[in-house]
Amino acid sequence: MYAIVNISGKQFKVTKDQHIFAPKMQGEVDASVEFDQVLLADDNGTVSIGAPLLSGAKVSGKILEHVKGDKVIVFKKKRRKGYKKKNGHRQQFTKLIIENITL
């Protein structure tokens, strides 16, 4: 059984007991979260497609921790002008575990 769910504007294919890294969301560690924007669900070969969402379908999970992603280096340069800028960026994520999918 799996579902495609919209979490903070991004779509994830989730299954039960799966760990995912979603964009940072509000909430404390060990807090329960529910996502009701389920776009598609598969229950042992029976596929249900929403138009655009499935009514009554929910995905519940738990926040495990808030983490930062890998560092991305942003380097800008214009040749022969002496212009150089170097910046770094680390995206913040929330690590979730999917506990239950209900249709």
Side-chain angles (χ1 to χ4, degrees):
M1 172 182 246
Y2 70 88
I4 297 179
V5 63
N6 186 3
I7 301 173
S8 300
K10 296 194 177 215
Q11 295 177 6
F12 293 93
K13 179 181 176 183
V14 296
T15 59
K16 191 175 183 327
D17 297 329
Q18 178 184 5
H19 295 279
I20 60 170
F21 291 94
K24 186 169 184 186
M25 57 182 68
Q26 300 295 323
E28 296 294 322
V29 176
D30 291 333
S32 295
V33 290
E34 277 195 355
F35 307 106
D36 56 354
Q37 293 187 353
V38 179
L39 305 170
L40 182 139
D42 179 20
D43 187 17
N44 298 327
T46 306
V47 179
S48 303
I49 300 173
L53 302 174
L54 286 174
S55 61
K58 291 187 188 243
V59 174
S60 60
K62 185 168 76 168
I63 295 176
L64 296 179
E65 61 182 333
H66 298 287
V67 295
K68 287 186 178 181
D70 294 334
K71 181 172 265 194
V72 177
I73 303 297
V74 179
F75 186 74
K76 298 179 182 179
K77 180 183 180 197
K78 293 188 179 176
R79 63 183 189 160
R80 297 189 300 268
K81 306 293 184 210
Y83 172 79
K84 290 189 280 188
K85 292 276 186 190
K86 181 179 177 183
N87 288 318
H89 177 73
R90 291 184 73 184
Q91 188 72 34
Q92 295 188 353
F93 294 104
T94 299
K95 185 176 181 182
L96 301 167
I97 185 168
I98 303 299
E99 293 178 330
N100 195 10
I101 300 172
T102 57
L103 299 178

